[in-house]
C-alpha cells in the first residue's frame, strides 16, 4: 500500500497546532479535547481491530469478491451511460431535499418501476439504504411503542431502533418463537418487528413466513431490510418478500439498497401507499436530507430494467455462491451455506482474518474481512461476494487463493 506521507508538508511529528517558532511554550490546551482518541487507537491496535482506508484505482486489477455488486452491473456500459446521461440532463446533484427541489421525474419513474417490480403499492427513494432504514423505524414507531429486533440485524437497523426512542427488545437470531413471546408480553402496545431478509455477515435467510404469521397473531407490523435479497432471491430477483408471498401485504414494509444488485447508490422504502405518504410527511431522513443524485437514480433505473429483461442474473448469482461454498468446504475450510449471494468463511481470530485478507490481496484477490465489533457473534471471518458475472475460471482462482493463504486453524 502506498504511503501518503509524501503529500503532507512539513515535519509529520511537528505539532500542527503549536507555534513552530516557540519551543518553550507548554502543551497546546486545544489538543486535550480529543486526546482520548490516542488511547482508543492504542486499544484497537492491541486488539487487532484497526480499520484502514484503501483508496482503489479505477482499474485495480483485483478479482473483486469484496464489494456488493451482486449482479455485476456497476460497470455495464448501458448502466454507466444511463448514469452519465442523467447527470448531463439533470445536473451533478439533486440541488436540495426531495420536498424542495430534489425530486425529479427520474426519481418518480424509479419509484414507480421499483414498486411494480417488487410487488408493492409504492416506493420512496432515499440517499442511502442506511437513511431508508432510519426513516422506516423512526417514522413508523411510537415513543410508547415496541420494536422487536433480531440480534443479527444490520447496524443501520440498530441505529434506527435507537433513534426511534421506542422500547427495543433484541431477540435471539432467527427465532420467531422469541418474537412471539416478546409481543405477547406487551399486548396493548403498538409494535414493529424488524429483521434483515438475508443477514449480511453469514448470508443466512430470515424465517419471513413465520415472522409474518407471528406479527399477525399480535397485530404488529413487519419491516424487512431486503438489501441482500433484492436482485438475488425471488422470481427474477424480485426479492425475499416477493418469494415469500408477502410483497404488497398491508402490514409489510420493505427497505432495500440501490447500491448492491442495482450497482448504483441509494436506498428505498416500499410498502402500502398510506405508509409511503406518511414517510414523506414524517421521516426526518427524507425531509431534511438532500435527494439522491440524478446520476445514481438514472443508473439504478437502468439496472432495474436490465434485471427485468435478464431474469437469469439472479439465478447465476445464487449458483456462484453455492459453488464457492462447495469448493471451499471440500478444501477443508469452514464456510456457512449461503442462502443468497454472501459466503462467509470462518477465521481463527481477528488478526488472522486481517492477515488472511491481506495475503489474498497480495495475490490479486479482494475479499471482505469482518471482525468484532462488526460481527454480533464475535467470530471473525472472510466475507465473499458471489457475483453473477464471475466465470467458472475466476471462481476456481478465488478458491485456490483463499485455500493457499488460509491461516493455521482456519479449517
Amino acid at each position: 500500500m502506498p504511503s501518503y506521507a509524501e503529500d503532507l508538508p512539513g515535519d509529520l511529528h511537528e505539532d500542527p497546532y503549536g507555534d513552530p517558532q516557540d519551543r518553550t511554550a507548554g502543551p497546546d490546551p486545544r489538543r486535550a479535547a480529543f486526546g482520548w482518541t490516542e488511547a482508543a487507537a492504542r486499544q484497537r491496535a492491541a486488539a487487532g481491530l484497526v480499520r484502514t482506508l484503501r483508496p482503489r484505482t479505477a482499474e485495480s486489477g483485483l478479482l473483486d469478491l469484496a464489494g456488493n455488486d451482486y449482479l455485476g452491473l456497476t460497470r455495464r456500459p448501458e448502466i454507466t451511460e444511463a448514469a452519465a446521461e442523467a447527470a448531463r440532463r439533470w445536473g451533478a446533484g439533486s440541488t436540495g431535499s426531495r420536498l424542495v427541489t430534489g425530486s425529479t421525474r427520474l426519481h418518480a419513474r424509479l419509484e414507480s418501476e421499483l414498486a411494480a417490480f417488487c410487488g408493492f403499492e409504492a416506493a420512496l427513494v432515499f440517499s442511502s439504504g442506511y437513511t431508508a432504514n432510519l426513516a422506516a423505524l423512526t417514522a413508523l414507531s411510537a415513543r410508547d411503542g415496541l420494536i422487536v429486533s433480531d440480534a443479527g440485524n444490520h447496524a443501520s437497523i440498530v441505529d434506527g431502533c435507537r433513534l426511534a426512542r421506542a422500547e427495543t427488545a433484541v431477540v435471539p437470531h432467527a427465532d420467531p418463537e422469541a418474537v412471539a413471546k416478546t409481543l405477547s408480553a406487551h399486548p396493548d402496545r403498538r409494535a414493529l418487528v424488524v429483521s434483515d431478509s438475508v443477514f449480511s455477515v453469514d448470508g443466512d435467510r430470515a424465517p419471513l413466513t413465520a415472522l409474518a404469521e407471528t406479527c399477525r397473531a399480535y397485530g404488529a407490523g413487519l419491516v424487512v431490510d431486503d438489501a441482500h435479497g433484492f436482485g438475488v432471491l425471488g422470481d427474477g430477483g424480485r426479492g425475499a418478500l416477493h418469494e415469500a408471498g408477502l410483497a404488497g401485504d398491508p402490514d409489510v414494509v420493505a427497505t432495500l439498497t440501490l447500491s448492491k444488485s442495482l450497482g448504483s447508490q441509494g436506498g428505498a422504502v416500499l410498502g402500502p401507499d398510506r405508509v409511503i405518504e406518511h414517510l414523506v410527511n414524517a421521516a426526518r431522513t427524507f425531509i431534511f436530507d438532500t435527494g439522491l443524485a440524478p446520476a445514481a437514480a438514472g443508473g439504478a433505473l437502468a439496472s432495474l430494467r436490465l434485471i427485468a429483461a435478464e431474469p437469469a442474473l439472479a439465478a447465476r448469482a445464487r449458483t456462484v455462491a453455492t459453488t464457492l461454498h462447495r469448493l471451499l468446504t471440500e478444501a477443508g475450510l469452514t464456510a456457512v451455506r449461503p442462502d443468497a449471494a454472501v459466503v462467509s468463511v470462518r477465521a481463527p481470530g481477528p488478526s488472522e482474518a486481517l492477515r488472511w485478507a491481506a495475503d489474498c490481496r497480495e495475490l490479486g484477490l479482494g475479499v471482505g474481512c469482518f471482525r468484532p465489533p462488526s460481527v454480533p457473534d464475535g467470530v471473525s471471518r472472510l466475507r465473499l461476494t458471489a457475483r453473477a458475472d464471475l466465470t467458472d475460471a475466476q471462481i476456481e482462482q478465488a478458491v485456490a487463493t483463499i485455500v493457499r493463504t488460509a491461516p493455521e486453524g482456519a479449517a
Side-chain angles (χ1 to χ4, degrees):
M1 180 180 175
S3 170
Y4 298 97
E6 300 167 346
D7 299 329
L8 298 175
D11 183 352
L12 293 179
H13 298 285
E14 181 177 285
D15 182 351
Y17 301 105
D19 181 357
Q21 303 302 319
D22 184 7
R23 299 302 183 187
T24 63
D28 189 332
R30 292 173 295 181
R31 290 186 59 84
F34 298 111
W36 58 268
T37 60
E38 297 175 3
R42 289 192 295 270
Q43 291 174 352
R44 284 192 296 269
L49 300 177
V50 176
R51 293 176 170 86
T52 304
L53 290 173
R54 294 184 176 88
R56 60 180 174 88
T57 61
E59 300 293 343
S60 69
L62 285 176
L63 175 57
D64 179 22
L65 270 70
N68 290 318
D69 186 17
Y70 293 138
L71 304 184
L73 301 184
T74 296
R75 290 180 175 271
R76 284 272 295 248
E78 56 265 60
I79 307 306
T80 56
E81 177 53 35
E85 174 56 28
R88 286 192 291 266
R89 181 175 183 185
W90 297 100
S94 65
T95 76
S97 70
R98 291 288 308 275
L99 288 170
V100 183
T101 57
S103 287
T104 69
R105 292 182 179 179
L106 184 61
H107 291 80
R109 284 198 296 272
L110 174 58
E111 289 166 342
S112 176
E113 294 188 27
L114 185 61
F117 180 77
C118 294
F120 287 85
E121 287 184 352
L124 192 64
V125 166
F126 290 76
S127 61
S128 71
Y130 209 108
T131 56
N133 273 339
L134 297 187
L137 292 169
T138 57
L140 298 179
S141 62
R143 289 196 181 189
D144 58 350
L146 175 70
I147 299 177
V148 183
S149 179
D150 188 288
N153 279 339
H154 187 263
S156 58
I157 294 177
V158 174
D159 288 351
C161 292
R162 291 169 175 168
L163 289 171
R165 290 183 281 187
E167 179 183 349
T168 298
V170 179
V171 295
H173 179 53
D175 189 345
E177 292 184 4
V179 174
K181 183 177 180 180
T182 303
L183 291 174
S184 66
H186 304 275
D188 300 321
R189 299 174 71 177
R190 194 168 95 197
L192 288 177
V193 173
V194 59
S195 176
D196 286 340
S197 64
V198 175
F199 294 89
S200 61
V201 174
D202 275 337
D204 58 317
R205 196 186 310 202
L208 295 182
T209 301
L211 286 176
E213 291 173 352
T214 300
C215 287
R216 286 161 186 172
Y218 295 96
L222 177 61
V223 177
V224 177
D225 180 353
D226 204 21
H228 298 279
F230 171 65
V232 178
L233 299 178
D235 179 21
R238 285 173 170 79
L241 286 163
H242 191 279
E243 183 179 53
L246 298 172
D249 285 357
D251 55 351
V252 174
V253 169
T255 65
L256 51 81
T257 66
L258 313 179
S259 59
K260 295 179 174 63
S261 289
L262 294 185
S264 182
Q265 189 166 346
V269 179
L270 296 83
D273 283 323
R274 60 183 181 179
V275 169
I276 301 305
E277 189 272 339
H278 177 73
L279 294 182
V280 170
N281 287 275
R284 293 174 65 83
T285 56
F286 180 82
I287 297 169
F288 298 107
D289 191 27
T290 297
L292 185 68
L301 180 58
S303 289
L304 182 64
R305 292 171 175 174
L306 190 150
I307 292 173
E310 299 184 20
L313 284 172
R316 174 59 184 171
R318 297 194 301 270
T319 297
V320 171
T322 56
T323 302
L324 282 168
H325 173 265
R326 176 177 59 81
L327 294 176
L328 289 165
T329 53
E330 287 176 355
L333 297 178
T334 302
V336 179
R337 183 178 299 278
D339 285 332
V342 173
V343 181
S344 174
V345 187
R346 300 299 176 94
S351 59
E352 292 89 347
L354 191 64
R355 182 70 258 170
W356 197 358
D359 288 345
C360 285
R361 177 176 290 272
E362 289 180 5
L363 295 179
L365 175 66
V367 297
C369 177
F370 277 29
R371 301 164 292 154
S374 298
V375 288
D377 58 4
V379 177
S380 298
R381 67 261 279 165
L382 299 187
R383 179 184 181 277
L384 314 180
T385 298
R387 296 202 330 261
D389 61 336
L390 290 179
T391 66
D392 291 345
Q394 288 174 320
I395 296 171
E396 293 175 0
Q397 174 191 344
V399 170
T401 300
I402 294 167
V403 172
R404 175 182 172 184
T405 56
E408 184 177 351

